[in-house]
Amino acid sequence: MFSVYTPLFKLHSIPSSVSLHLSASPCEYSISLLFFFFHPLMYSAMSSVAGHAGSIRRTFGSQKLLKTENIWLLNPQFAGAAIIPSSLKDKEEIYFFFSEFNKTARVDEEPYRARIGRICMVDEGGIKALLENSWTTFMKARVMCGSGNTQQQYNNMKQAVVLTAQDKRTGVMYGLFSNAWGRNVICAYSIEDIDQAFSTSKLKSYSSPFISSRPGMCVRKNSTAGGPNDIKNLGVIRYHPEIEDVIRPVGVSPLDLPTDDQITHTVADIVLAVNDEHYSVLYLGTDQGKVLKVLHSSEGVFIISQYSLFHNEGPVLNMAIDSQKGHLYVGTAMEIQRLPLADCGRYGDSCRECILSRDPYCGWDRARRKCVAIPPGYNDTTGEVMVQSNTSIFLPCPVRSFHATYRWEKDNCIKNYPCLFSGDFCILGPVVDTPLKEGVFRCMATEDGFKVEVISFRLVNNGRLLAASLASTVGLSLLLAVATLWLH
Ligand SMILES: *[C@@H]1O[C@H](CO)[C@@H](O)[C@H](O)[C@H]1NC(C)=O
Ligand SMILES: *[C@@H]1O[C@H](CO)[C@@H](O)[C@H](O)[C@H]1NC(C)=O
Ligand SMILES: *[C@@H]1O[C@H](CO)[C@@H](O)[C@H](O)[C@H]1NC(C)=O
Ligand SMILES: *[C@@H]1O[C@H](CO)[C@@H](O)[C@H](O)[C@H]1NC(C)=O
């Protein structure tokens, strides 16, 4: 039945943890089949189509081939999937993002529900009597996208992308949602929040205490499996896979994007800027054939640039990102375009314009007087000092203007420290929560409403010693082009 699939476009290299969404179909109706490669295993999620319930499966590989029970999913339409890494191999999970559709909902009821489903990769299925060929770690949660508990909820998740650290359970999920009137918005979720909910929430319509261990946890099956407690836990998961906690977006509401266009597609990238910090960049395709490049941080969203790529205005139907080669592919019904992720030439030839762009892929090269892409592996670690980790550390910031106010910030402004003047320097001295913890400390100068990074240091805990090294910028060849200026 599902014989020919024509991907809209192919990437030359597909990182193993990236899913490829194939939605083009030779048939009249649209089938959404999501393949998910994780060598040497393959996972797939099939959306519900006429006569088929839809499922999440392990379809190939050395581990047991497993599937979801039909009652766990209500006409699912899949929107994305991602491996959620862990420093412990056994704890690795896959999150699946989808919408469920209630066919018998009344006209005045919302038929869609956005969902996250999760399975553990170590799952080897149940026992002969229960869940023999099914996941024993499947759980699902309701995902809300809207302001608080208002009626304005966006319940149909159409697309989801995840950015995570390489080996840690931290990161962000972006979902593209629509409401009953067809308006689209983006909501962002913390992977830590989702992980916390799956690890601690009560299960829906199950009030008894858990026996011995929590059901559905990621543990390797062993020869003692099949005891009475295991069977009881399998039964709990079989009949209560949904958790009670609801997943809500960071910042409580959808991203506030200053555009009138409808967002039709989204991809995301994580960028290591010259200050050695990571930034999330979203690429949003619109119904007018435009692409918006958006910086997202705890402070909100900032549109870095906007592209009109196509001769014929038409909705962007598909996008794919190849972070390694640095390309974005964008497709409409009629055209495909390729865009460099680091498109630094467009910010003109002045340092100010380059920096004002806040594009984390770019930096100002002082020697060549050009806005350039940050070279791969750029890392300047001159001026390293080692100190005992329980002693005070004095980080110097050169003072160039006495009209400016200076402050030290840590880890993307999560913490603020005063700057103590001492001659031509302003020093991060002994502060309340010394000894200082690891992280990037940045000295920020504010003058006339402009905020500029003067210097930054990275502190690394090296056993008993803290190594402080220059993390970026002044005196070095590249100036930071992100988060240095806040425009009000
Ligand atoms: C679907 O909607 C109908 C009508 O409100 C309701 O009775 C039924 O329980 C819903 N089904 C599910 C699975 O929620
Ligand atoms: C087998 O699993 C049980 C619980 O699932 C655990 O308590 C036990 O230590 C495990 N045995 C081995 C040999 O790993
Ligand atoms: C930069 O160099 C330091 C010290 O060698 C290292 O700890 C750090 O991980 C490097 N950063 C990157 C992004 O490679
Ligand atoms: C700092 O740590 C060293 C080594 O652990 C210890 O000998 C010293 O007493 C500590 N100093 C203070 C002020 O705690």
Side-chain angles (χ1 to χ4, degrees), residues 272 276 378-379 381 384 458 460:
L272 185 64
D276 226 4
Y378 179 83
N379 187 0
T381 53
E384 195 160 291
R458 152 186 291 277
V460 184

Coordinates of all heavy atoms in Angstrom, one line a residue, residues 272 276 378-379 381 384 458 460, ligand 3:
L272 N 27.0 27.8 18.3 CA 28.0 28.2 19.3 C 28.6 29.5 18.8 O 29.3 29.5 17.8 CB 29.0 27.1 19.4 CG 30.1 27.3 20.5 CD1 29.5 27.2 21.9 CD2 31.2 26.2 20.3
D276 N 31.4 31.5 23.2 CA 31.4 30.2 23.7 C 30.0 29.8 24.4 O 30.0 29.0 25.2 CB 32.5 29.9 24.7 CG 33.2 28.6 24.4 OD1 32.9 28.0 23.4 OD2 34.1 28.3 25.2
Y378 N 36.5 27.7 16.3 CA 37.0 28.9 16.8 C 37.0 28.9 18.3 O 36.0 28.7 19.0 CB 36.2 30.1 16.3 CG 36.8 31.4 16.9 CD1 37.9 32.1 16.2 CD2 36.3 32.0 18.0 CE1 38.4 33.2 16.7 CE2 36.8 33.2 18.5 CZ 37.8 33.8 17.9 OH 38.4 35.0 18.4
N379 N 38.2 29.0 18.9 CA 38.3 28.9 20.4 C 39.6 29.5 20.8 O 40.6 29.0 20.6 CB 38.2 27.4 20.7 CG 38.1 27.2 22.2 OD1 38.1 28.1 23.0 ND2 38.1 25.9 22.6
T381 N 41.9 30.5 23.8 CA 42.0 30.3 25.3 C 43.3 30.8 25.8 O 44.0 30.2 26.5 CB 42.0 28.8 25.6 OG1 42.9 28.1 24.7 CG2 40.6 28.2 25.3
E384 N 45.2 32.0 30.3 CA 44.6 31.1 31.3 C 45.3 31.3 32.6 O 46.5 31.3 32.7 CB 44.7 29.7 30.8 CG 43.8 28.7 31.5 CD 43.6 27.5 30.8 OE1 42.9 27.5 29.7 OE2 44.1 26.4 31.2
R458 N 35.9 32.4 30.8 CA 35.3 31.1 31.1 C 36.0 30.5 32.3 O 37.2 30.4 32.3 CB 35.4 30.2 29.9 CG 35.4 28.7 30.1 CD 35.7 28.0 28.9 NE 34.5 28.1 28.0 CZ 33.5 27.4 28.1 NH1 33.4 26.4 29.0 NH2 32.4 27.6 27.3
V460 N 36.5 27.2 34.4 CA 36.3 25.7 34.3 C 36.8 25.1 35.6 O 38.0 25.4 36.0 CB 37.1 25.2 33.1 CG1 36.8 23.7 32.9 CG2 36.8 25.9 31.8
Ligands
LIG3 C1 37.9 25.8 24.2 O1 39.1 25.4 24.8 C2 38.9 25.0 26.2 C3 40.3 24.7 26.8 O2 41.0 24.0 25.9 C4 38.0 23.8 26.2 O3 37.8 23.4 27.5 C5 36.7 24.2 25.6 O4 35.8 23.0 25.6 C6 36.9 24.7 24.2 N1 35.6 25.1 23.6 C7 35.2 24.6 22.5 C8 33.9 25.2 22.0 O5 35.8 23.8 21.8

